Amino acid sequence: MSLDFENVYAVILAAGASRRLGSPKQLLEWRGRTLLGNTIENARSLLNERVIVVLGSQAETIQEKVDLGGVVAVVNPDWQTGIASSIRAGINALPTSADGLLMLLSDQPLVGYRAMQNLLTQWQMEPSRIAASQYHDTVGVPALFPSAFFGALRSLRGDRGAKSLLLQFEEKLLKISLPEAELDIDTKEDFDHLRIS
């Protein structure tokens, strides 16, 4: 079976203020790249130019320091209202032809190309369902949402992210083991753990 991802787009959420870290985590250097640059490169390896990056806090600084060539960069002016506004900004940047949205975070550095590809490949076997990452007895992002769920994503408000929808539509989930997604970088201790792992 030939797999075709041409109407799937990645939306990388990178608008947060990194308050617990104290500096933009999108710009942390790991293995010669920034965390955001790492996520972009993996997404572009899979989806070419069909990558949307949602910025907010420190948008100008990030645009200066991260190569955003070949992706669509969107600045969410409402980023301070919570992650839901960034999800809406990403969806609003999608073309009407989009069949699916691969939601990614810029602070899950262990989620690489193969993990993203696995999500897409398994989703294409059951494209009416949401392909969600399963790790540490829960589900979360990265997750691939078919276009039928874009309206539900748009309806999120405040700091309610995609996970609330994954739990709401649990019977529609295709759960895919992705232990790499368990590590996200919120604190200096998280980043120190990443560097020694």
Side-chain angles (χ1 to χ4, degrees), residues 107-188:
D107 65 353
Q108 291 178 307
L110 298 181
V111 175
Y113 169 86
R114 288 184 186 279
M116 296 178 192
Q117 184 182 46
N118 187 36
L119 274 172
L120 267 78
T121 300
Q122 294 206 44
W123 171 73
Q124 286 220 319
M125 305 301 175
E126 298 187 67
S128 66
R129 300 176 74 183
I130 302 168
S133 300
Q134 186 170 38
Y135 49 89
H136 196 60
D137 299 325
T138 190
V139 290
V141 294
L144 204 154
F145 292 87
S147 57
F149 293 91
F150 290 179
L153 285 166
R154 277 196 181 97
S155 74
L156 293 171
R157 291 294 180 268
D159 228 15
R160 291 183 71 225
K163 185 170 183 174
S164 61
L165 275 190
L166 298 179
L167 298 174
Q168 179 183 340
F169 292 108
E170 191 159 12
E171 75 284 356
K172 300 277 191 183
L173 296 187
L174 185 62
K175 298 178 183 178
I176 298 163
S177 177
L178 187 57
E180 302 98 312
E182 186 175 346
L183 177 67
D184 59 19
I185 307 300
D186 288 321
T187 65
K188 183 179 182 299

